[in-house]
Amino acid sequence: MSDTVSFGYEDIPASEKTARVGTVFTSVARNYDLMNDAMSGGLHRIWKDDFVRKVRPRPGERILDMAGGTGDIAFRLHKTGAHVTVADINPAMLEVGMARAAKRRLDGLVWSEANAESLTFPDRAFDAYTIAFGIRNVTDIPAALREAHRVLKRGGRFFCLEFSTTTWPGFAEVYDAYSHHLVPRLGQLLAQDAASYRYLIESIRRFPDMPAFKRMIEEAGFAQVSAQPILGGLVAIHSGWKI
Ligand code: SAM
């Protein structure tokens, strides 16, 4: 990994990124779910449903939902009877998630504070690994992908839902204008926090496009890696197998 990494549009020392991302998510945790609906017009719910359908969780499977935050993906996986561990580096996000689970009377989820780059789970512990809108916030993405590979069983599935680059003509410009101007204002209005939402938008632009991210997943050891674009690639689901 190089000495500097992107933090939104800034280049910062790699050693500082994890802490700065931590400050963002500690700040947004309380309003995270409301803001997701406001920013995406509720679309994130459809993308997440689609994502979990693709995972095809089965009863009794062990699934690690990395960067699981307030539990949106984990709750969907849990409904199918899978044993889900929600891991996230940020205790404030996990606290909101645990409170939501308690309110919905969801028992049996395991909540774990963990950095995706260096997990304490043993080798080959999980049948599937999911990460939604999390990987672009990780400082050392190749390290996180290698850890995903390590903790999966042979035959285990990897799934990543993340913003990417849309190839629909004209749509990218419209989305850019919307996201750069309106999202920080929404953040200010609804959560009194324009700066955190500016980071979240800028970090989308700095994330590798589909072919580049697909290569990174392959380099971590995954086979049959594929990318499914949503809205021309505005969002993408990458998946692969550990064989
Ligand atoms: N997966 C949830 C969802 O789709 O609603 C939460 C996504 S939220 C945009 C990104 C999450 O990534 C935050 O909860 C943040 O704390 C977590 N995160 C950032 N860096 C991480 C790291 N190195 N290891 C684990 N989690 C991380």
Side-chain angles (χ1 to χ4, degrees), residues 18 21 25 32-33 36 44 48 65-73 87-90 93 114-117 131-139 161 200:
T18 305
V21 169
F25 284 104
Y32 177 77
D33 299 304
N36 262 350
H44 76 107
K48 286 170 177 169
D65 182 39
M66 181 52 59
T70 61
D72 267 5
I73 299 297
D88 198 287
I89 200 170
N90 192 298
M93 292 290 281
N115 185 341
E117 296 167 10
I131 182 162
F133 303 117
I135 196 95
R136 75 178 193 280
N137 300 293
V138 171
T139 306
L161 176 67
L200 291 174

PDB file of all heavy atoms in Angstrom, residues 18 21 25 32-33 36 44 48 65-73 87-90 93 114-117 131-139 161 200, ligand 1:
ATOM      1  N   THR A  18      -7.952   5.662   8.801  1.00  0.00           N
ATOM      2  CA  THR A  18      -8.911   4.883   9.605  1.00  0.00           C
ATOM      3  C   THR A  18      -9.533   5.766  10.697  1.00  0.00           C
ATOM      4  O   THR A  18     -10.754   5.730  10.921  1.00  0.00           O
ATOM      5  CB  THR A  18      -8.215   3.649  10.209  1.00  0.00           C
ATOM      6  OG1 THR A  18      -7.633   2.916   9.115  1.00  0.00           O
ATOM      7  CG2 THR A  18      -9.195   2.735  10.923  1.00  0.00           C
ATOM      8  N   VAL A  21     -11.997   8.307   9.055  1.00  0.00           N
ATOM      9  CA  VAL A  21     -13.247   7.631   8.683  1.00  0.00           C
ATOM     10  C   VAL A  21     -14.058   7.341   9.952  1.00  0.00           C
ATOM     11  O   VAL A  21     -15.285   7.505   9.984  1.00  0.00           O
ATOM     12  CB  VAL A  21     -12.959   6.330   7.898  1.00  0.00           C
ATOM     13  CG1 VAL A  21     -14.213   5.487   7.739  1.00  0.00           C
ATOM     14  CG2 VAL A  21     -12.373   6.658   6.524  1.00  0.00           C
ATOM     15  N   PHE A  25     -18.081   8.315  10.794  1.00  0.00           N
ATOM     16  CA  PHE A  25     -19.186   7.410  11.133  1.00  0.00           C
ATOM     17  C   PHE A  25     -19.674   7.588  12.575  1.00  0.00           C
ATOM     18  O   PHE A  25     -20.857   7.373  12.854  1.00  0.00           O
ATOM     19  CB  PHE A  25     -18.833   5.960  10.790  1.00  0.00           C
ATOM     20  CG  PHE A  25     -18.918   5.732   9.307  1.00  0.00           C
ATOM     21  CD1 PHE A  25     -17.780   5.651   8.526  1.00  0.00           C
ATOM     22  CD2 PHE A  25     -20.149   5.670   8.685  1.00  0.00           C
ATOM     23  CE1 PHE A  25     -17.865   5.488   7.142  1.00  0.00           C
ATOM     24  CE2 PHE A  25     -20.256   5.512   7.308  1.00  0.00           C
ATOM     25  CZ  PHE A  25     -19.111   5.425   6.535  1.00  0.00           C
ATOM     26  N   TYR A  32     -27.857   7.965  10.586  1.00  0.00           N
ATOM     27  CA  TYR A  32     -27.429   7.220   9.407  1.00  0.00           C
ATOM     28  C   TYR A  32     -28.614   6.660   8.596  1.00  0.00           C
ATOM     29  O   TYR A  32     -28.675   6.818   7.377  1.00  0.00           O
ATOM     30  CB  TYR A  32     -26.475   6.090   9.832  1.00  0.00           C
ATOM     31  CG  TYR A  32     -26.037   5.239   8.677  1.00  0.00           C
ATOM     32  CD1 TYR A  32     -25.056   5.694   7.796  1.00  0.00           C
ATOM     33  CD2 TYR A  32     -26.616   4.004   8.433  1.00  0.00           C
ATOM     34  CE1 TYR A  32     -24.670   4.923   6.710  1.00  0.00           C
ATOM     35  CE2 TYR A  32     -26.234   3.237   7.348  1.00  0.00           C
ATOM     36  CZ  TYR A  32     -25.264   3.698   6.497  1.00  0.00           C
ATOM     37  OH  TYR A  32     -24.899   2.954   5.411  1.00  0.00           O
ATOM     38  N   ASP A  33     -29.564   6.051   9.291  1.00  0.00           N
ATOM     39  CA  ASP A  33     -30.663   5.381   8.572  1.00  0.00           C
ATOM     40  C   ASP A  33     -31.592   6.393   7.897  1.00  0.00           C
ATOM     41  O   ASP A  33     -31.984   6.221   6.741  1.00  0.00           O
ATOM     42  CB  ASP A  33     -31.424   4.445   9.519  1.00  0.00           C
ATOM     43  CG  ASP A  33     -30.486   3.373  10.066  1.00  0.00           C
ATOM     44  OD1 ASP A  33     -29.872   2.669   9.251  1.00  0.00           O
ATOM     45  OD2 ASP A  33     -30.331   3.275  11.294  1.00  0.00           O
ATOM     46  N   ASN A  36     -29.791   7.775   4.837  1.00  0.00           N
ATOM     47  CA  ASN A  36     -29.748   6.828   3.715  1.00  0.00           C
ATOM     48  C   ASN A  36     -31.020   6.926   2.888  1.00  0.00           C
ATOM     49  O   ASN A  36     -30.978   6.934   1.659  1.00  0.00           O
ATOM     50  CB  ASN A  36     -29.628   5.391   4.241  1.00  0.00           C
ATOM     51  CG  ASN A  36     -28.204   4.921   4.223  1.00  0.00           C
ATOM     52  OD1 ASN A  36     -27.334   5.573   3.664  1.00  0.00           O
ATOM     53  ND2 ASN A  36     -27.962   3.784   4.841  1.00  0.00           N
ATOM     54  N   HIS A  44     -31.839   2.696  -1.611  1.00  0.00           N
ATOM     55  CA  HIS A  44     -30.867   1.782  -0.987  1.00  0.00           C
ATOM     56  C   HIS A  44     -31.556   0.520  -0.468  1.00  0.00           C
ATOM     57  O   HIS A  44     -30.959  -0.548  -0.422  1.00  0.00           O
ATOM     58  CB  HIS A  44     -30.089   2.505   0.128  1.00  0.00           C
ATOM     59  CG  HIS A  44     -30.869   2.699   1.396  1.00  0.00           C
ATOM     60  ND1 HIS A  44     -30.633   1.982   2.541  1.00  0.00           N
ATOM     61  CD2 HIS A  44     -31.916   3.504   1.677  1.00  0.00           C
ATOM     62  CE1 HIS A  44     -31.483   2.352   3.481  1.00  0.00           C
ATOM     63  NE2 HIS A  44     -32.271   3.282   2.985  1.00  0.00           N
ATOM     64  N   LYS A  48     -30.363  -3.182  -1.437  1.00  0.00           N
ATOM     65  CA  LYS A  48     -29.992  -4.134  -0.381  1.00  0.00           C
ATOM     66  C   LYS A  48     -30.815  -5.423  -0.499  1.00  0.00           C
ATOM     67  O   LYS A  48     -30.294  -6.525  -0.307  1.00  0.00           O
ATOM     68  CB  LYS A  48     -30.156  -3.476   1.002  1.00  0.00           C
ATOM     69  CG  LYS A  48     -29.051  -2.455   1.279  1.00  0.00           C
ATOM     70  CD  LYS A  48     -29.295  -1.616   2.519  1.00  0.00           C
ATOM     71  CE  LYS A  48     -28.115  -0.676   2.751  1.00  0.00           C
ATOM     72  NZ  LYS A  48     -28.377   0.353   3.774  1.00  0.00           N
ATOM     73  N   ASP A  65     -21.218 -10.390   8.040  1.00  0.00           N
ATOM     74  CA  ASP A  65     -21.559  -9.120   7.392  1.00  0.00           C
ATOM     75  C   ASP A  65     -20.572  -8.065   7.879  1.00  0.00           C
ATOM     76  O   ASP A  65     -20.720  -7.508   8.967  1.00  0.00           O
ATOM     77  CB  ASP A  65     -23.003  -8.710   7.701  1.00  0.00           C
ATOM     78  CG  ASP A  65     -23.348  -7.409   6.976  1.00  0.00           C
ATOM     79  OD1 ASP A  65     -22.913  -7.246   5.809  1.00  0.00           O
ATOM     80  OD2 ASP A  65     -24.019  -6.539   7.571  1.00  0.00           O
ATOM     81  N   MET A  66     -19.565  -7.824   7.050  1.00  0.00           N
ATOM     82  CA  MET A  66     -18.484  -6.922   7.429  1.00  0.00           C
ATOM     83  C   MET A  66     -18.895  -5.477   7.160  1.00  0.00           C
ATOM     84  O   MET A  66     -19.643  -5.220   6.217  1.00  0.00           O
ATOM     85  CB  MET A  66     -17.246  -7.301   6.608  1.00  0.00           C
ATOM     86  CG  MET A  66     -16.014  -6.497   6.882  1.00  0.00           C
ATOM     87  SD  MET A  66     -15.569  -6.392   8.617  1.00  0.00           S
ATOM     88  CE  MET A  66     -15.362  -8.111   9.005  1.00  0.00           C
ATOM     89  N   ALA A  67     -18.390  -4.564   7.994  1.00  0.00           N
ATOM     90  CA  ALA A  67     -18.781  -3.149   7.910  1.00  0.00           C
ATOM     91  C   ALA A  67     -20.306  -3.053   7.957  1.00  0.00           C
ATOM     92  O   ALA A  67     -20.923  -2.282   7.240  1.00  0.00           O
ATOM     93  CB  ALA A  67     -18.209  -2.489   6.649  1.00  0.00           C
ATOM     94  N   GLY A  68     -20.873  -3.878   8.822  1.00  0.00           N
ATOM     95  CA  GLY A  68     -22.327  -4.066   8.872  1.00  0.00           C
ATOM     96  C   GLY A  68     -23.085  -2.898   9.456  1.00  0.00           C
ATOM     97  O   GLY A  68     -24.315  -2.831   9.335  1.00  0.00           O
ATOM     98  N   GLY A  69     -22.388  -1.976  10.124  1.00  0.00           N
ATOM     99  CA  GLY A  69     -23.001  -0.735  10.598  1.00  0.00           C
ATOM    100  C   GLY A  69     -24.240  -0.964  11.431  1.00  0.00           C
ATOM    101  O   GLY A  69     -24.228  -1.682  12.438  1.00  0.00           O
ATOM    102  N   THR A  70     -25.341  -0.366  11.000  1.00  0.00           N
ATOM    103  CA  THR A  70     -26.573  -0.402  11.804  1.00  0.00           C
ATOM    104  C   THR A  70     -27.442  -1.616  11.467  1.00  0.00           C
ATOM    105  O   THR A  70     -28.588  -1.672  11.887  1.00  0.00           O
ATOM    106  CB  THR A  70     -27.368   0.900  11.609  1.00  0.00           C
ATOM    107  OG1 THR A  70     -27.724   1.011  10.225  1.00  0.00           O
ATOM    108  CG2 THR A  70     -26.564   2.129  12.010  1.00  0.00           C
ATOM    109  N   GLY A  71     -26.920  -2.551  10.677  1.00  0.00           N
ATOM    110  CA  GLY A  71     -27.559  -3.858  10.566  1.00  0.00           C
ATOM    111  C   GLY A  71     -28.467  -4.104   9.361  1.00  0.00           C
ATOM    112  O   GLY A  71     -29.066  -5.179   9.268  1.00  0.00           O
ATOM    113  N   ASP A  72     -28.560  -3.164   8.442  1.00  0.00           N
ATOM    114  CA  ASP A  72     -29.506  -3.329   7.323  1.00  0.00           C
ATOM    115  C   ASP A  72     -29.348  -4.660   6.580  1.00  0.00           C
ATOM    116  O   ASP A  72     -30.335  -5.316   6.264  1.00  0.00           O
ATOM    117  CB  ASP A  72     -29.312  -2.194   6.300  1.00  0.00           C
ATOM    118  CG  ASP A  72     -30.242  -1.022   6.571  1.00  0.00           C
ATOM    119  OD1 ASP A  72     -30.957  -1.055   7.598  1.00  0.00           O
ATOM    120  OD2 ASP A  72     -30.252  -0.082   5.766  1.00  0.00           O
ATOM    121  N   ILE A  73     -28.122  -5.036   6.281  1.00  0.00           N
ATOM    122  CA  ILE A  73     -27.892  -6.282   5.529  1.00  0.00           C
ATOM    123  C   ILE A  73     -28.086  -7.479   6.463  1.00  0.00           C
ATOM    124  O   ILE A  73     -28.758  -8.454   6.122  1.00  0.00           O
ATOM    125  CB  ILE A  73     -26.463  -6.308   4.928  1.00  0.00           C
ATOM    126  CG1 ILE A  73     -26.263  -5.134   3.948  1.00  0.00           C
ATOM    127  CG2 ILE A  73     -26.164  -7.646   4.259  1.00  0.00           C
ATOM    128  CD1 ILE A  73     -27.159  -5.156   2.736  1.00  0.00           C
ATOM    129  N   ALA A  87     -19.944  -7.371  11.833  1.00  0.00           N
ATOM    130  CA  ALA A  87     -18.682  -6.811  12.300  1.00  0.00           C
ATOM    131  C   ALA A  87     -18.512  -5.399  11.756  1.00  0.00           C
ATOM    132  O   ALA A  87     -18.847  -5.137  10.597  1.00  0.00           O
ATOM    133  CB  ALA A  87     -17.519  -7.687  11.851  1.00  0.00           C
ATOM    134  N   ASP A  88     -18.024  -4.511  12.583  1.00  0.00           N
ATOM    135  CA  ASP A  88     -17.793  -3.121  12.156  1.00  0.00           C
ATOM    136  C   ASP A  88     -16.738  -2.522  13.072  1.00  0.00           C
ATOM    137  O   ASP A  88     -16.639  -2.875  14.244  1.00  0.00           O
ATOM    138  CB  ASP A  88     -19.099  -2.314  12.262  1.00  0.00           C
ATOM    139  CG  ASP A  88     -19.051  -1.032  11.438  1.00  0.00           C
ATOM    140  OD1 ASP A  88     -18.340  -0.083  11.847  1.00  0.00           O
ATOM    141  OD2 ASP A  88     -19.702  -0.979  10.386  1.00  0.00           O
ATOM    142  N   ILE A  89     -15.966  -1.608  12.508  1.00  0.00           N
ATOM    143  CA  ILE A  89     -14.889  -0.991  13.293  1.00  0.00           C
ATOM    144  C   ILE A  89     -15.425   0.077  14.246  1.00  0.00           C
ATOM    145  O   ILE A  89     -14.753   0.451  15.202  1.00  0.00           O
ATOM    146  CB  ILE A  89     -13.839  -0.373  12.330  1.00  0.00           C
ATOM    147  CG1 ILE A  89     -12.500  -0.155  13.024  1.00  0.00           C
ATOM    148  CG2 ILE A  89     -14.359   0.904  11.690  1.00  0.00           C
ATOM    149  CD1 ILE A  89     -11.374   0.217  12.065  1.00  0.00           C
ATOM    150  N   ASN A  90     -16.671   0.527  13.999  1.00  0.00           N
ATOM    151  CA  ASN A  90     -17.153   1.711  14.708  1.00  0.00           C
ATOM    152  C   ASN A  90     -18.198   1.348  15.777  1.00  0.00           C
ATOM    153  O   ASN A  90     -19.313   0.948  15.450  1.00  0.00           O
ATOM    154  CB  ASN A  90     -17.749   2.695  13.697  1.00  0.00           C
ATOM    155  CG  ASN A  90     -17.992   4.045  14.317  1.00  0.00           C
ATOM    156  OD1 ASN A  90     -18.769   4.165  15.242  1.00  0.00           O
ATOM    157  ND2 ASN A  90     -17.308   5.050  13.810  1.00  0.00           N
ATOM    158  N   MET A  93     -21.772   2.987  15.417  1.00  0.00           N
ATOM    159  CA  MET A  93     -22.648   2.366  14.413  1.00  0.00           C
ATOM    160  C   MET A  93     -23.224   1.053  14.972  1.00  0.00           C
ATOM    161  O   MET A  93     -24.415   0.768  14.828  1.00  0.00           O
ATOM    162  CB  MET A  93     -21.882   2.101  13.113  1.00  0.00           C
ATOM    163  CG  MET A  93     -21.461   3.348  12.350  1.00  0.00           C
ATOM    164  SD  MET A  93     -22.843   4.250  11.594  1.00  0.00           S
ATOM    165  CE  MET A  93     -23.182   3.294  10.132  1.00  0.00           C
ATOM    166  N   ALA A 114     -14.616  -4.859  14.864  1.00  0.00           N
ATOM    167  CA  ALA A 114     -13.474  -5.444  14.148  1.00  0.00           C
ATOM    168  C   ALA A 114     -13.086  -4.572  12.965  1.00  0.00           C
ATOM    169  O   ALA A 114     -13.932  -3.935  12.335  1.00  0.00           O
ATOM    170  CB  ALA A 114     -13.845  -6.831  13.635  1.00  0.00           C
ATOM    171  N   ASN A 115     -11.782  -4.559  12.686  1.00  0.00           N
ATOM    172  CA  ASN A 115     -11.268  -3.877  11.495  1.00  0.00           C
ATOM    173  C   ASN A 115     -11.195  -4.909  10.362  1.00  0.00           C
ATOM    174  O   ASN A 115     -10.534  -5.943  10.510  1.00  0.00           O
ATOM    175  CB  ASN A 115      -9.877  -3.314  11.803  1.00  0.00           C
ATOM    176  CG  ASN A 115      -9.336  -2.493  10.648  1.00  0.00           C
ATOM    177  OD1 ASN A 115      -9.799  -2.612   9.508  1.00  0.00           O
ATOM    178  ND2 ASN A 115      -8.347  -1.663  10.933  1.00  0.00           N
ATOM    179  N   ALA A 116     -11.834  -4.609   9.245  1.00  0.00           N
ATOM    180  CA  ALA A 116     -11.882  -5.554   8.115  1.00  0.00           C
ATOM    181  C   ALA A 116     -10.488  -5.970   7.649  1.00  0.00           C
ATOM    182  O   ALA A 116     -10.328  -7.033   7.051  1.00  0.00           O
ATOM    183  CB  ALA A 116     -12.632  -4.902   6.954  1.00  0.00           C
ATOM    184  N   GLU A 117      -9.475  -5.132   7.937  1.00  0.00           N
ATOM    185  CA  GLU A 117      -8.112  -5.421   7.461  1.00  0.00           C
ATOM    186  C   GLU A 117      -7.420  -6.499   8.291  1.00  0.00           C
ATOM    187  O   GLU A 117      -6.453  -7.104   7.831  1.00  0.00           O
ATOM    188  CB  GLU A 117      -7.249  -4.156   7.549  1.00  0.00           C
ATOM    189  CG  GLU A 117      -7.721  -3.046   6.666  1.00  0.00           C
ATOM    190  CD  GLU A 117      -7.051  -1.732   7.019  1.00  0.00           C
ATOM    191  OE1 GLU A 117      -6.085  -1.713   7.811  1.00  0.00           O
ATOM    192  OE2 GLU A 117      -7.504  -0.701   6.499  1.00  0.00           O
ATOM    193  N   ILE A 131     -20.283  -7.397   2.301  1.00  0.00           N
ATOM    194  CA  ILE A 131     -19.853  -6.055   2.709  1.00  0.00           C
ATOM    195  C   ILE A 131     -20.612  -5.062   1.828  1.00  0.00           C
ATOM    196  O   ILE A 131     -20.540  -5.133   0.599  1.00  0.00           O
ATOM    197  CB  ILE A 131     -18.309  -5.891   2.657  1.00  0.00           C
ATOM    198  CG1 ILE A 131     -17.872  -4.502   3.135  1.00  0.00           C
ATOM    199  CG2 ILE A 131     -17.734  -6.203   1.276  1.00  0.00           C
ATOM    200  CD1 ILE A 131     -16.386  -4.420   3.534  1.00  0.00           C
ATOM    201  N   ALA A 132     -21.402  -4.192   2.457  1.00  0.00           N
ATOM    202  CA  ALA A 132     -22.239  -3.260   1.700  1.00  0.00           C
ATOM    203  C   ALA A 132     -21.865  -1.825   2.036  1.00  0.00           C
ATOM    204  O   ALA A 132     -21.905  -1.428   3.215  1.00  0.00           O
ATOM    205  CB  ALA A 132     -23.718  -3.503   2.023  1.00  0.00           C
ATOM    206  N   PHE A 133     -21.503  -1.083   1.039  1.00  0.00           N
ATOM    207  CA  PHE A 133     -21.139   0.334   1.176  1.00  0.00           C
ATOM    208  C   PHE A 133     -20.074   0.535   2.262  1.00  0.00           C
ATOM    209  O   PHE A 133     -20.036   1.574   2.921  1.00  0.00           O
ATOM    210  CB  PHE A 133     -22.387   1.193   1.459  1.00  0.00           C
ATOM    211  CG  PHE A 133     -23.431   1.047   0.388  1.00  0.00           C
ATOM    212  CD1 PHE A 133     -24.691   0.525   0.671  1.00  0.00           C
ATOM    213  CD2 PHE A 133     -23.144   1.404  -0.924  1.00  0.00           C
ATOM    214  CE1 PHE A 133     -25.645   0.360  -0.338  1.00  0.00           C
ATOM    215  CE2 PHE A 133     -24.087   1.249  -1.934  1.00  0.00           C
ATOM    216  CZ  PHE A 133     -25.338   0.729  -1.640  1.00  0.00           C
ATOM    217  N   GLY A 134     -19.224  -0.486   2.429  1.00  0.00           N
ATOM    218  CA  GLY A 134     -18.205  -0.419   3.469  1.00  0.00           C
ATOM    219  C   GLY A 134     -16.796  -0.361   2.908  1.00  0.00           C
ATOM    220  O   GLY A 134     -15.943   0.371   3.414  1.00  0.00           O
ATOM    221  N   ILE A 135     -16.543  -1.100   1.828  1.00  0.00           N
ATOM    222  CA  ILE A 135     -15.153  -1.323   1.404  1.00  0.00           C
ATOM    223  C   ILE A 135     -14.459  -0.025   0.994  1.00  0.00           C
ATOM    224  O   ILE A 135     -13.254   0.127   1.182  1.00  0.00           O
ATOM    225  CB  ILE A 135     -15.084  -2.393   0.275  1.00  0.00           C
ATOM    226  CG1 ILE A 135     -13.655  -2.929   0.094  1.00  0.00           C
ATOM    227  CG2 ILE A 135     -15.606  -1.878  -1.054  1.00  0.00           C
ATOM    228  CD1 ILE A 135     -13.371  -4.168   0.840  1.00  0.00           C
ATOM    229  N   ARG A 136     -15.198   0.955   0.465  1.00  0.00           N
ATOM    230  CA  ARG A 136     -14.526   2.177   0.011  1.00  0.00           C
ATOM    231  C   ARG A 136     -14.003   3.009   1.183  1.00  0.00           C
ATOM    232  O   ARG A 136     -13.208   3.925   0.991  1.00  0.00           O
ATOM    233  CB  ARG A 136     -15.434   3.018  -0.888  1.00  0.00           C
ATOM    234  CG  ARG A 136     -16.522   3.770  -0.189  1.00  0.00           C
ATOM    235  CD  ARG A 136     -17.329   4.614  -1.167  1.00  0.00           C
ATOM    236  NE  ARG A 136     -18.181   5.568  -0.492  1.00  0.00           N
ATOM    237  CZ  ARG A 136     -19.351   5.287   0.065  1.00  0.00           C
ATOM    238  NH1 ARG A 136     -19.827   4.061   0.017  1.00  0.00           N
ATOM    239  NH2 ARG A 136     -20.055   6.230   0.669  1.00  0.00           N
ATOM    240  N   ASN A 137     -14.464   2.679   2.386  1.00  0.00           N
ATOM    241  CA  ASN A 137     -14.005   3.413   3.568  1.00  0.00           C
ATOM    242  C   ASN A 137     -12.773   2.780   4.216  1.00  0.00           C
ATOM    243  O   ASN A 137     -12.200   3.341   5.145  1.00  0.00           O
ATOM    244  CB  ASN A 137     -15.129   3.450   4.611  1.00  0.00           C
ATOM    245  CG  ASN A 137     -16.366   4.131   4.066  1.00  0.00           C
ATOM    246  OD1 ASN A 137     -16.336   5.327   3.803  1.00  0.00           O
ATOM    247  ND2 ASN A 137     -17.432   3.376   3.851  1.00  0.00           N
ATOM    248  N   VAL A 138     -12.402   1.602   3.749  1.00  0.00           N
ATOM    249  CA  VAL A 138     -11.289   0.860   4.354  1.00  0.00           C
ATOM    250  C   VAL A 138      -9.967   1.410   3.816  1.00  0.00           C
ATOM    251  O   VAL A 138      -9.840   1.683   2.625  1.00  0.00           O
ATOM    252  CB  VAL A 138     -11.448  -0.649   4.036  1.00  0.00           C
ATOM    253  CG1 VAL A 138     -10.216  -1.435   4.434  1.00  0.00           C
ATOM    254  CG2 VAL A 138     -12.698  -1.206   4.715  1.00  0.00           C
ATOM    255  N   THR A 139      -8.986   1.552   4.674  1.00  0.00           N
ATOM    256  CA  THR A 139      -7.698   2.137   4.261  1.00  0.00           C
ATOM    257  C   THR A 139      -6.954   1.194   3.322  1.00  0.00           C
ATOM    258  O   THR A 139      -6.555   1.579   2.230  1.00  0.00           O
ATOM    259  CB  THR A 139      -6.828   2.429   5.506  1.00  0.00           C
ATOM    260  OG1 THR A 139      -7.583   3.244   6.405  1.00  0.00           O
ATOM    261  CG2 THR A 139      -5.540   3.149   5.123  1.00  0.00           C
ATOM    262  N   LEU A 161     -21.439  -4.933  -2.133  1.00  0.00           N
ATOM    263  CA  LEU A 161     -22.328  -3.920  -2.721  1.00  0.00           C
ATOM    264  C   LEU A 161     -21.658  -2.575  -2.495  1.00  0.00           C
ATOM    265  O   LEU A 161     -21.316  -2.232  -1.361  1.00  0.00           O
ATOM    266  CB  LEU A 161     -23.679  -3.973  -1.994  1.00  0.00           C
ATOM    267  CG  LEU A 161     -24.755  -2.947  -2.358  1.00  0.00           C
ATOM    268  CD1 LEU A 161     -25.266  -3.160  -3.784  1.00  0.00           C
ATOM    269  CD2 LEU A 161     -25.942  -3.067  -1.371  1.00  0.00           C
ATOM    270  N   LEU A 200     -18.571  11.313   2.241  1.00  0.00           N
ATOM    271  CA  LEU A 200     -19.212  10.087   1.734  1.00  0.00           C
ATOM    272  C   LEU A 200     -19.390  10.166   0.218  1.00  0.00           C
ATOM    273  O   LEU A 200     -19.192   9.183  -0.491  1.00  0.00           O
ATOM    274  CB  LEU A 200     -20.555   9.844   2.438  1.00  0.00           C
ATOM    275  CG  LEU A 200     -20.426   9.453   3.915  1.00  0.00           C
ATOM    276  CD1 LEU A 200     -21.784   9.362   4.583  1.00  0.00           C
ATOM    277  CD2 LEU A 200     -19.685   8.123   4.056  1.00  0.00           C
TER     278      LEU A 200
HETATM  279  N1  SAM B   1     -23.279  -1.996   5.663  1.00  0.00           N
HETATM  280  C1  SAM B   1     -24.081  -0.937   6.260  1.00  0.00           C
HETATM  281  C2  SAM B   1     -25.148  -0.503   5.295  1.00  0.00           C
HETATM  282  O1  SAM B   1     -25.096  -0.906   4.126  1.00  0.00           O
HETATM  283  O2  SAM B   1     -26.025   0.255   5.698  1.00  0.00           O
HETATM  284  C3  SAM B   1     -23.214   0.244   6.719  1.00  0.00           C
HETATM  285  C4  SAM B   1     -22.478   0.954   5.626  1.00  0.00           C
HETATM  286  S1  SAM B   1     -21.681   2.434   6.177  1.00  0.00           S
HETATM  287  C5  SAM B   1     -21.764   3.451   4.738  1.00  0.00           C
HETATM  288  C6  SAM B   1     -19.979   1.991   6.184  1.00  0.00           C
HETATM  289  C7  SAM B   1     -19.530   1.243   7.431  1.00  0.00           C
HETATM  290  O3  SAM B   1     -18.183   0.807   7.229  1.00  0.00           O
HETATM  291  C8  SAM B   1     -19.528   2.077   8.706  1.00  0.00           C
HETATM  292  O4  SAM B   1     -20.328   1.475   9.676  1.00  0.00           O
HETATM  293  C9  SAM B   1     -18.054   2.097   9.118  1.00  0.00           C
HETATM  294  O5  SAM B   1     -17.841   2.140  10.488  1.00  0.00           O
HETATM  295  C10 SAM B   1     -17.555   0.801   8.507  1.00  0.00           C
HETATM  296  N2  SAM B   1     -16.103   0.721   8.325  1.00  0.00           N
HETATM  297  C11 SAM B   1     -15.281   1.675   7.823  1.00  0.00           C
HETATM  298  N3  SAM B   1     -14.014   1.234   7.825  1.00  0.00           N
HETATM  299  C12 SAM B   1     -14.021  -0.032   8.337  1.00  0.00           C
HETATM  300  C13 SAM B   1     -13.028  -0.996   8.597  1.00  0.00           C
HETATM  301  N4  SAM B   1     -11.741  -0.769   8.327  1.00  0.00           N
HETATM  302  N5  SAM B   1     -13.403  -2.183   9.127  1.00  0.00           N
HETATM  303  C14 SAM B   1     -14.712  -2.440   9.407  1.00  0.00           C
HETATM  304  N6  SAM B   1     -15.695  -1.548   9.202  1.00  0.00           N
HETATM  305  C15 SAM B   1     -15.367  -0.363   8.657  1.00  0.00           C
END
